């Protein structure tokens, strides 16, 4: 087990109760060797509790956690050999950068030469070799973050667990560190489990995302799967923004179904072919960027008339709110370069979208 | 998308306007800023000068002028056997009291920071209430417990653990017990305050990095709590050096510490020169200790342990 870099992790039916409240409710999750998995969810969704259960700081009431098929759920944190980057880094303030990074090696009774070599290599990796003699409080937030990372990786742990590691950094530094983390992950091949509430971070970094809510994993998949085929209204709105269209299924048509809302008929493609029955109420998630303004050009599969009630200039895009009779306010995002004349409030417009643009979601 | 934008917007702070500056009326007769603050502390400063610094100055003066001008009194420090004995006793009792107090205080403070809110409140009350009770009353309370026919000896004899009563009072043991009891809050509170500031995630991080409970305590928690221990140690040691009531009552006149010795010199033998010389010595020793330890603590702060 010690010679390979990445490891598989299985979480099976883990439940954690705090009194009546289930912080984790029968959670199952598989993390594959070398994967970058993100646990994404709002605060209180159980993502940190799940990470802490994996790390060994929280003891689940039910369920099992296995590393390469061996149960580790009863092991104390120090015997799991996982690297962990805490929110706020939790660097040891009384130790220098070097001694902080050397801590896990010295605990493992590595020889002085080995400590020296490994710490230097880890500090090189995070570009902090020149700061080895500093104390944590003498470093900037980004540098502290990198020390925490070096400390969590220096002993080649079985997994690297990261608890909102970038939340304390400002916007620019954060995206820089995102790229750096991603590079490190590729280079080292460790299995990463990353907790965040930031959808952009999750989308840009992960191989796979597990979206959590109320102690449960409600959907997992690659970032594009989650973005393009959200399973529920919650996922559609948590990862990016969505318009939600309601209607009742009218009839099945080739490759999908037709539905009506307030007398207007729309078509919706269903790639899997698993159409809801006629008469059933449905909710569709429609991304703002998949709606276009139709001005006499090629007609879309679906069209609506409305009036622009609000607009914002966002540099690369215009964001419009169009009031429609059928669905109320519909948010549209169009690239600035495509839009021609700037929009005006009160201007009547026709909007349209393809039958394959929206996704059927469950209404919760 | 909207959330993203509002996040960007919220990182841009609006330009700060100097509200305070705008509201302050320009007054030609306004006193110079620092001057006003001097006026505020003036009453306290005058009191200190009149009733504190002046008497101390007098004490120092008497120590080099009575019975005749010169350093004869201070020469006694090197020559007098009884003063030697008393100084050694004072140092021994003070060090012993400080060490025992720190160990007990550390245990209490450690339990305090790891208790729930309710338990913490009751325990803190238990720490602070003794501070409200006169040191005299507490010395007599110990007298009831520790004397030959006292509660402790009676229980020990009744349970057959000992045959003849232990002498727990009128000696150094009694003095140390009474002093440790008095000093405990002064040991607990600074250590507790310091431990409260220790980031518990550091201990968790240590365990996550492979340290057992014990190793995480030794290598992370203990070093991080040292500033509190040193602060408490100074406080307790300095109090102990000049402690009067408890040694006088529980020592039974046999265990003579410096404060009681000074009292005897001045009130009973009326040797003002020797008494003030010892008082001055105590002052200088404490000053030196504080200077030395102050440097150590500053160094530690510099290294980021707070």
């Amino acid at each position: 087990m010690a010679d390979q870099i990445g490891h598989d992790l299985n979480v099976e039916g883990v439940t954690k109760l705090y009194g009546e409240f289930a912080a984790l409710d029968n959670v199952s999750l598989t993390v594959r060797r070398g994967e970058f998995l993100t646990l994404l969810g709002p605060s209180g969704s159980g993502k940190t509790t799940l990470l802490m259960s994996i790390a060994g700081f929280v003891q689940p009431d039910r369920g099992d956690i296995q590393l390469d098929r061996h149960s580790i759920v009863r092991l104390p944190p120090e015997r799991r050999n996982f690297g962990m980057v805490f929110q706020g880094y939790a660097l040891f303030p009384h130790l220098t950068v070097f001694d902080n990074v050397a801590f896990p090696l010295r605990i493992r009774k590595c020889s002085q030469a080995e400590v020296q070599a490994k710490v230097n290599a880890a500090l090189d990796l995070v570009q902090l070799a020149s700061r080895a003699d500093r104390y944590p409080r003498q470093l900037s937030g980004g540098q502290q973050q990198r020390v925490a990372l070096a400390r969590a990786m220096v002993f080649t742990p079985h997994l690297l667990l990261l608890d909102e590691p970038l939340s304390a950094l400002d916007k620019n530094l954060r995206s820089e560190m995102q790229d750096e983390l991603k590079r490190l992950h590729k280079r080292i091949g460790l299995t990463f489990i990353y907790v965040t509430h930031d959808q952009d971070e999750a989308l840009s970094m992960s191989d796979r995302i597990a979206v959590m809510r109320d102690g449960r994993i409600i959907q997992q998949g690659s970032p594009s799967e989650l973005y393009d085929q959200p399973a529920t209204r919650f996922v559609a709105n948590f990862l990016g923004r969505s318009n939600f269209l309601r209607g009742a299924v009218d009839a099945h048509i080739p490759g999908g179904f037709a539905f009506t809302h307030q007398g207007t008929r729309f078509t919706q493609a269903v790639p899997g072919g698993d159409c809801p029955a006629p008469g059933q109420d449905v909710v569709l998630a429609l991304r703002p960027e998949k709606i276009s303004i139709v001005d006499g050009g090629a007609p879309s599969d679906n069209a609506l008339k409305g009036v622009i009630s609000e607009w914002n200039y966002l540099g690369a895009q215009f964001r419009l709110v169009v009031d429609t009779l059928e669905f109320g306010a519909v948010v549209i995002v169009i690239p600035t370069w495509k839009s021609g004349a700037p929009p005006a409030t009160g201007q009547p417009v026709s909007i349209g979208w393809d039958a394959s643009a929206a996704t059927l979601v469950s209404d919760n | 998308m909207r959330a993203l934008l509002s996040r960007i917007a919220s990182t841009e702070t609006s330009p700060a306007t100097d509200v305070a500056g705008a509201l302050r009326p320009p007054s030609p007769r306004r006193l110079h800023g620092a001057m006003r603050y001097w006026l505020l502390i003036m009453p306290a400063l005058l009191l200190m000068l009149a009733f504190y610094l002046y008497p101390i100055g007098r004490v120092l003066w008497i120590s080099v002028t009575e019975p005749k001008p010169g350093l004869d009194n201070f020469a006694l420090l090197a020559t007098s056997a009884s003063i030697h004995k008393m100084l050694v006793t004072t140092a021994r009792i003070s060090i012993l009291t400080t060490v025992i107090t720190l160990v007990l205080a550390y245990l209490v403070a450690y339990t305090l920071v790891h208790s729930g809110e309710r338990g913490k409140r009751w325990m803190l009350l238990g720490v602070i209430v003794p501070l409200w009770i006169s040191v005299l009353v507490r010395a007599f309370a110990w007298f009831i417990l520790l004397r030959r026919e006292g509660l402790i000896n009676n229980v020990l004899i009744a349970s057959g653990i000992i045959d003849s009563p232990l002498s727990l009072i009128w000696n150094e043991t009694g003095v140390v017990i009474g002093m440790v009891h008095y000093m405990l809050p002064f040991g607990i509170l600074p250590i507790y305050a310091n431990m409260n500031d220790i980031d518990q995630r550091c201990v968790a991080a240590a365990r996550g990095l492979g340290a057992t409970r014990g190793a995480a305590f030794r290598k992370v928690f203990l070093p991080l709590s040292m500033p509190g221990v040193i602060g408490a140690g100074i406080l307790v040691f300095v109090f102990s050096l000049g402690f009067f009531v408890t040694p006088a009552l529980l020592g039974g006149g046999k265990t003579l510490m410096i404060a009681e010795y000074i009292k005897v010199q001045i009130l009973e033998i009326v040797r003002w020169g020797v008494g003030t010389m010892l008082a001055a010595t105590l002052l200088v020793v404490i000053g030196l200790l504080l200077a030395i330890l102050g440097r150590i603590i500053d160094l530690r702060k510099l290294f980021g342990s707070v």
Side-chain angles (χ1 to χ4, degrees), chain A residues 211-248:
Chain A
V211 180
M212 294 193 68
R213 186 192 191 186
D214 299 334
R216 265 174 252 183
I217 293 178
I218 46 179
Q219 193 179 359
Q220 36 181 315
S222 72
S224 63
E225 270 165 25
L226 289 194
Y227 190 82
D228 292 333
Q229 292 139 39
T232 71
R233 251 166 64 98
F234 174 79
V235 175
N237 229 1
F238 198 73
L239 275 165
R241 287 278 172 259
S242 261
N243 296 294
F244 294 101
L245 314 179
R246 289 166 186 281

Side-chain angles (χ1 to χ4, degrees), chain A residues 45-96:
Chain A
S45 60
K47 56 191 193 303
T48 298
T49 311
L50 179 55
L51 193 78
M52 290 301 166
S53 307
I54 295 171
F57 294 112
V58 167
Q59 188 63 51
D61 294 306
R62 280 195 294 278
D64 197 16
I65 299 174
Q66 300 169 336
L67 187 76
D68 296 335
R69 299 282 153 201
H70 298 288
S71 178
I72 55 164
V73 76
R74 299 280 156 217
L75 287 183
E78 65 267 22
R79 294 190 48 205
R80 298 192 182 193
N81 203 36
F82 295 168
M84 174 133 190
V85 177
F86 284 79
Q87 205 173 354
Y89 322 136
L91 296 177
F92 305 132
H94 61 302
L95 299 179
T96 60

Side-chain angles (χ1 to χ4, degrees), chain A residues 78 87 94 108 137 200, chain B residues 4 201 207 209 219 302 304:
Chain A
E78 65 267 22
Q87 205 173 354
H94 61 302
R108 287 169 175 74
R137 62 185 197 96
D200 300 315
Chain B
L4 180 75
R201 281 177 305 191
R207 297 202 61 201
L209 294 168
K219 290 179 191 285
L302 192 73

Side-chain angles (χ1 to χ4, degrees), chain B residues 203-219:
Chain B
V203 180
R207 297 202 61 201
L209 294 168
T212 57
R213 250 175 224 283
F217 173 79
R218 276 197 318 278
K219 290 179 191 285

